[in-house]
Amino acid sequence: MEKNIEKKKTVCSWKWILVMIILACMFQAKPVKAAQMVRLSLNKTYTSYDVTGDRKRDRIRIAADKSYGYFTRIRVIINGKTLLTKQNFDMRPNSVRTRICKLDNGKTFLFLEAMGDSMCEQTACLYQYNRGRLQTMINFRSLLSSTYFYKTYFDVKRVSGNTITFLAGGIAYNSGMITWDMNYSYANGKFRRTSSTSRMLSGGYNSLGKYQIQS
């Protein structure tokens, strides 16, 4: 009688272990969420996206410290490791935008933008995870010549195929405040602008039609 009871306990134990193994495999096999462009909120942990390129879901958190309405430090934390820190700003930002951009080729990029009062942009970069660090793919602040612009801002507008469309804006000396699209296509490990000109979306002088973007 005691042997039968022990045998039943053993069988139940093995059944329970088997169920746990199956559940664990189901969790690990859950596909990474397919996303083209995802807006990330600050101080929130995301677990549905792959940003390291290993086809596994990562833990992503954009941690932001704030004081008196302004951000004093911004950190990009991936899988428990701080890979990027932005602080000691010229002018403390009061807005921060972060986006995940996934291309059709499977490459994933992280966009981070921080802006202070009166469109005083502090940082605007597109990053890619590479061997345990975030590599800068595009530094938007260095794109536009200060000869033509003295204030700029950028954001991700959409992702299509292997091209990212960025919404760009700025205060130009010869036209005032204008906005336009900038298309960057990814190939052979680099982003290249598809055109040096872009039709102006809004601005003080509609007669411009097209505006030459200075590199």
Side-chain angles (χ1 to χ4, degrees):
M1 188 69 176
E2 291 182 358
K3 290 184 178 180
N4 289 335
I5 293 174
E6 290 296 327
K7 186 176 181 180
K8 287 182 179 180
K9 287 182 178 180
T10 302
V11 171
C12 289
S13 297
W14 277 108
K15 285 183 177 179
W16 177 249
I17 292 172
L18 182 61
V19 169
M20 294 301 292
I21 292 174
I22 292 173
L23 289 175
C25 291
M26 288 176 63
F27 178 79
Q28 291 295 330
K30 186 178 178 181
V32 173
K33 186 178 290 186
Q36 294 300 309
M37 192 271 281
V38 180
R39 294 177 172 85
L40 301 182
S41 298
L42 300 177
N43 297 316
K44 178 180 178 180
T45 300
Y46 294 84
T47 59
S48 299
Y49 308 106
D50 170 28
V51 293
T52 59
D54 59 0
R55 298 185 180 181
K56 296 180 181 179
R57 293 175 295 156
D58 297 307
R59 293 179 62 85
I60 309 157
R61 184 177 180 85
I62 311 299
D65 302 327
K66 207 170 186 180
S67 177
Y68 298 101
Y70 293 92
F71 294 99
T72 57
R73 184 176 64 167
I74 305 164
R75 291 174 296 149
V76 178
I77 305 170
I78 299 177
N79 297 328
K81 297 181 179 179
T82 300
L83 301 186
L84 181 69
T85 300
K86 294 289 184 178
Q87 57 186 2
N88 300 323
F89 301 103
D90 296 333
M91 179 179 289
R92 288 183 178 180
N94 56 9
S95 68
V96 176
R97 290 194 283 256
T98 55
R99 319 290 190 222
I100 291 177
C101 303
K102 184 178 180 181
L103 307 183
D104 277 357
N105 60 15
K107 300 294 184 180
T108 305
F109 303 89
L110 181 69
F111 174 80
L112 172 64
E113 188 263 5
M115 184 187 298
D117 289 329
S118 303
M119 285 180 58
C120 291
E121 189 149 51
Q122 300 302 297
T123 185
C125 292
L126 185 72
Y127 300 96
Q128 183 182 29
Y129 180 89
N130 183 19
R131 298 179 181 180
R133 65 186 184 89
L134 289 179
Q135 177 183 353
T136 302
M137 301 299 293
I138 306 176
N139 185 343
F140 291 93
R141 289 192 68 190
S142 64
L143 285 179
L144 302 181
S145 172
S146 59
T147 303
Y148 300 94
F149 291 90
Y150 66 98
K151 289 185 179 181
T152 58
Y153 73 88
F154 300 90
D155 195 5
V156 178
K157 189 172 184 178
R158 62 178 173 270
V159 177
S160 178
N162 294 323
T163 299
I164 303 178
T165 299
F166 297 94
L167 176 63
I171 300 177
Y173 289 105
N174 61 348
S175 64
M177 177 65 191
I178 63 174
T179 61
W180 67 95
D181 286 345
M182 297 176 69
N183 295 314
Y184 276 83
S185 182
Y186 181 86
N188 300 320
K190 295 182 179 180
F191 278 98
R192 290 180 173 84
R193 199 166 61 205
T194 60
S195 175
S196 61
T197 62
S198 178
R199 185 168 300 278
M200 189 172 64
L201 302 177
S202 64
Y205 299 97
N206 293 327
S207 60
L208 285 177
K210 283 190 175 182
Y211 192 84
Q212 182 72 28
I213 300 171
Q214 302 294 327
S215 296

